[in-house]
Amino acid sequence: MRTPLVLLDSASLWFRAFYALPESMTAPDGTPVNAVRGFADMVAKIITERRPSRLVACMDADWRPAFRVAALPSYKAHRVAEPEVNAEEVPDTLTPQVPVILELLDAMGIATAEAAGYEADDVIGALATSEDRDPVEVITGDRDLFQLVRDEPTPVRVVYTGKGLAKAETYGPAELAERYGLPVGNAGPAYADMAALRGDPSDGLPGVAGIGEKTAANLITALGSVEEILAALDDPADTRIPARSRGKLDAARDYLAVAPTVVRVAVDAPVALDRDDVLPTAPADLDRVRALQETWGLSRSVDRLLAALG
């Protein structure tokens, strides 16, 4: 069997590390490094357990892209810390740790990728859907990426870390269909449209009032997509929409017209990698790795990452 291409939803991993580990983990100068150490440990565990031949740490070039905000102004609006610069609200002690994580990845020789004007989700989507050689494993704590699962032409699986890496759950089309009641042959795209109907307050997606997850899944299973739902609303003779749902959907027409643009991953994002995605067997710059280890007190976390590469 071919070894996988692993795509990391980097921000979801370092946020999880930050909240899972105490800020008492500090560098010699007293700066918290809990996110750095936790992120390094997670990457080491992923490499050791999943043995990828290729790995890319995917980044947000824009955490709240203009095209999504233009379609739906409420998109992530509640998480904006500085509206004039579209800055995300991030804990003060996490912000300075992110450059250290990026520098460590660079010194290790682990590829990173981003796309100007797009989120990491879009980068992951573009890389996953264009892969025609190796199976793909997406490591994320974000359910939005469930929409990428597929069996053909190359398998894409989502390793969901919402309960932590130790309790990660792997989703393919069959698992997604079983959990949410979606058609197995179209489970990935169906999940995205179900999520649009259901909504997601954490992303500022209102959804359709009165339509819960189960009803949303039933509607998408019956009609196939948000676009088909809108078409069916225009045809009074179309009985696939239950009468109790028709009025709710009709009242949400304006939202439904833009929701797919917001919820669906932009698989055509212009991804740029900083280096080849082959996972190195040795760090690109061991001296710099050791300097980072000493400066930031990363001790065993860096040792575990080096051992995982080797």
Side-chain angles (χ1 to χ4, degrees):
M1 291 185 62
R2 298 195 68 93
T3 54
L5 163 63
V6 165
L7 304 176
L8 304 180
D9 184 0
S10 302
S12 87
L13 296 183
W14 68 56
F15 267 98
R16 169 157 287 279
F18 176 80
Y19 287 113
L21 298 174
E23 291 185 36
S24 57
M25 289 183 171
T26 59
D29 68 357
T31 303
V33 290
N34 53 326
V36 183
R37 288 178 59 176
F39 181 87
D41 285 342
M42 283 191 284
V43 175
K45 183 178 177 66
I46 289 163
I47 293 170
T48 300
E49 293 185 351
R50 314 204 79 86
R51 305 313 307 174
S53 55
R54 300 153 62 205
L55 184 146
V56 183
C58 301
M59 307 291 173
D60 290 316
D62 189 337
W63 73 284
R64 191 170 178 251
F67 73 92
R68 290 194 169 100
V69 176
L72 188 69
S74 67
Y75 182 63
K76 295 185 178 179
H78 60 295
R79 287 155 53 183
V80 176
E82 299 177 49
E84 62 277 5
V85 293
N86 196 36
E88 183 178 13
E89 189 173 49
V90 176
D92 291 342
T93 50
L94 172 57
T95 300
Q97 296 189 59
V98 173
V100 182
I101 291 171
L102 298 180
E103 190 171 358
L104 181 61
L105 288 171
D106 185 60
M108 286 286 184
I110 293 174
T112 62
E114 64 179 22
Y118 292 85
E119 300 176 62
D121 285 11
D122 303 310
V123 175
I124 291 168
L127 292 174
T129 57
S130 64
E131 178 59 31
D132 59 3
R133 184 177 66 182
D134 297 324
V136 178
E137 295 182 355
V138 176
I139 316 293
T140 182
D142 185 353
R143 291 185 299 170
D144 292 344
L145 291 170
F146 284 167
Q147 65 184 278
L148 296 176
V149 301
R150 70 183 189 190
D151 286 329
E152 300 291 344
T154 49
V156 176
R157 298 292 182 263
V158 169
V159 181
Y160 179 61
T161 61
K163 298 178 182 178
L165 193 57
K167 298 180 180 179
E169 303 167 285
T170 300
Y171 284 89
E175 294 79 9
L176 198 62
E178 181 179 0
R179 176 166 177 179
Y180 292 102
L182 298 169
V184 67
N186 192 44
Y191 179 86
D193 283 18
M194 181 200 75
L197 295 178
R198 178 194 62 198
D200 184 351
S202 69
D203 279 343
L205 297 172
V208 178
I211 300 291
E213 185 170 276
K214 185 175 181 180
T215 301
N218 290 340
L219 286 166
I220 295 302
T221 298
L223 288 102
S225 69
V226 169
E227 288 83 356
E228 285 297 317
I229 288 173
L230 287 169
L233 288 174
D234 291 329
D235 182 2
D238 194 321
T239 60
R240 291 176 296 170
I241 299 179
R244 64 183 179 277
S245 297
R246 182 173 283 272
K248 298 170 184 176
L249 293 165
D250 194 56
R253 277 179 179 269
D254 290 346
Y255 166 73
L256 291 173
V258 300
T261 298
V262 179
V263 174
R264 293 174 188 165
V265 167
V267 297
D268 59 349
V271 176
L273 281 83
D274 70 336
R275 68 184 76 220
D276 190 88
D277 64 6
V278 173
L279 186 67
T281 55
D285 188 338
L286 182 57
D287 289 341
R288 187 150 64 103
V289 169
R290 291 302 187 192
L292 289 166
Q293 183 180 31
E294 182 177 357
T295 299
W296 298 105
L298 303 178
S299 59
R300 288 172 295 177
S301 294
V302 161
D303 288 341
R304 282 189 284 266
L305 187 50
L306 287 169
L309 291 183

